[in-house]
Amino acid sequence: MVEEKMGTCWSQTKDQFDNLEKHTQWGIEFVERYTKFVKERSEIEINYAKQIRNLSKKYQPKKNSREEEENKFTSCRAFLSTLNELNDYAGQHEVIAENLTSQIIAELTRYIQELKQERKSHFHDGRKAQQHIENSWKQLESSKRRFERDCKEADRAQQYFEKMDADINVTKADVEKRCSHKARQQAQLRHQMAADSKGEYSVYLQKFNKEQNEHYYTLIPHIFQKIQEMEEKRIERVGESMKTFAEVDRQVLPIVGKCLDGMTKAAESIEPKTDSKQVIECFKSGFEPPGDVEFEDYSQAMKRTVSESSLSNSRGEGKPEKPSSKAKGKLWPFMKKNKLSLKLGSGPEDFSHLPPEQRRKKLQAKIDDLNKEIQKEMDQKDALTKMKDVYVKNPQMGDPASVDPRLAEISQNIEKLRLEAQKFEGWLAEVEGRLPTRSEPPRRQSELYETQNSTPVNNNCAQDRESSPDGSYTEEQSSETQIKVPNTEFDDEFDDEEPLPTIGTCKALYPFEGHNEGTITVAEGEMLYVIEEDKGDGWTRVRRNEDDEGYVPTSYVEVYLDTNAKGAMTYI
């Protein structure tokens, strides 16, 4: 009946107190084991993320290296995007490790300590109640034995008194002597002690029954109920941790999916045709394909008669001249010199060792870099100028003269950079005039190259020989490779045609020595008429007076297109 009242309460296991203690201890050890499992999983995630990051970093393109130049290809850019997405992917595994540590490991570690304290408290109360009921039982047993002993003593005293009183052989004096007041008191005392023991036993019996009933129906069920709640809470907490264990992964799945989508998008962005065009653009030389190889007839020697005269003629006058194609050497696809000169860090400053198209790209890139440097210096100069103005208006903030040395230094740097840019612009104008897609520039472009580079003409000829537009080069110096200036071209322009009208004026920024025919010598700061604009070959046609006109480098003059400027002309 009592068991039915308890229902599913752990109080049914009142006789299994030690087993419950062992089970709850096992429950704590299970939580500790699960916590250790999550901790090892977190360490795995951290190590995995670290390895993924190191892998991504290892294959990232290095700065100032060939790998950085390769990023212009779509496949290389896709690979770089994949590496970046992989780095973000590694970050999500770090998030998993962090969430496992904060949401599970730290929480369970704190909970285990609380669980141990709670378990200790409950079982302490249980042991205390068990000890109390055991002590009450011992008191009951002691009073029971005392009552039993007193009853036996009283019964023996009564039997002895009755025996003495019923003995016929005993004289009246002896009877009086034996049945004295003391004997009677002793018998009465024994009976009184038995009665007292009986009353005490009855009290302890009632007390024990009450305490026993309270122990098994109130105290122990209450304690076991708390232990049961503690254990159920522990199981529920482990279940929640297991659910969190899965949710931690689920939370990063959208971002991981985006990383994977980014990798897929990067792969789909690869365009083979575009990469092929990049290869063409990268290695395009600008040379024209070589012409047809002429037939060399060696059969003439077979028709000659075998004689001394014929032999002598074959050695001298009769010997056929070597075809001109022999003198040209190897054709441009097999030019070893150009291949060797294309190595990084080799070649002259003007990149004349490169094919025309590649040289143009290098020169343009150099000019862009110089312009950026000039702009940077200009920005610094403007900032210092403003600072000086502030110092002038507010002397207490600083000395305006302290800025002058730095301004002078920046001005010198700007001037140097501009001269450097002008030099490369001249070379760029020269190489753009050599490209097959542009019209042939005037031959005096070499004069600009000579003036700016201060290189002997023979060296320019040698460079022209190595990268000539016809696709061939000669191993011997020849007068054909030297600069040629047609005499009739400019004579026809100046003598046969009427003078061209002026379309504006220009100011010479730098001095120019016009040694070649068709060019004109100008002084720095000189004002001239403009009669023909630059047509893309890097030269501008100017006039000093009716009989003195010619070409000057466009980069050497500052042009003002104004048809009404002729009347305001001044000569220096």
Side-chain angles (χ1 to χ4, degrees), residues 58-75:
K58 178 181 178 181
Y59 285 91
Q60 287 283 347
K62 308 298 185 298
K63 293 184 178 179
N64 299 325
S65 67
R66 187 170 180 270
E67 293 182 3
E68 193 174 24
E69 296 179 359
E70 292 174 352
N71 286 334
K72 60 188 176 184
F73 298 107
T74 59
S75 56

Side-chain angles (χ1 to χ4, degrees), residues 304-316:
R304 299 189 183 93
T305 57
V306 182
S307 63
E308 292 181 359
S309 60
S310 63
L311 289 175
S312 62
N313 289 336
S314 64
R315 295 189 187 97

Side-chain angles (χ1 to χ4, degrees), residues 323-336:
S324 60
S325 60
K326 279 260 184 173
K328 292 183 179 180
K330 298 180 180 179
L331 298 178
W332 64 268
F334 309 100
M335 292 170 64
K336 294 183 178 179

Side-chain angles (χ1 to χ4, degrees), residues 555-568:
S555 58
Y556 273 48
V557 295
E558 185 175 0
V559 178
Y560 308 97
L561 296 179
D562 185 2
T563 56
N564 299 323
K566 184 174 181 180

Side-chain angles (χ1 to χ4, degrees), residues 396-438:
Q396 68 276 9
M397 297 183 65
D399 184 12
S402 63
V403 185
D404 292 339
R406 180 57 181 163
L407 281 174
E409 181 183 354
I410 292 178
S411 298
Q412 292 178 0
N413 293 340
I414 292 174
E415 187 64 25
K416 291 179 181 179
L417 290 172
R418 282 178 175 173
L419 292 175
E420 189 77 6
Q422 291 290 344
K423 180 172 63 175
F424 280 94
E425 286 174 357
W427 288 331
L428 179 62
E430 177 186 359
V431 74
E432 285 181 343
R434 291 181 181 178
L435 290 177
T437 56
R438 298 181 180 269

Side-chain angles (χ1 to χ4, degrees), residues 27 124 139 191 238 266 287 304 411-412 437 449 454 461 469 561:
H124 174 73
Q139 288 178 352
H191 282 286
V238 172
F287 290 134
R304 299 189 183 93
S411 298
Q412 292 178 0
T437 56
Y449 179 84
S454 300
C461 296
L561 296 179

Side-chain angles (χ1 to χ4, degrees), residues 43-53 86 89-90 93:
E43 292 174 352
I44 290 174
E45 293 292 341
I46 292 176
N47 293 332
Y48 177 69
K50 183 178 180 180
Q51 292 177 358
I52 291 294
R53 285 195 183 277
L86 191 64
Y89 175 81
H93 285 274

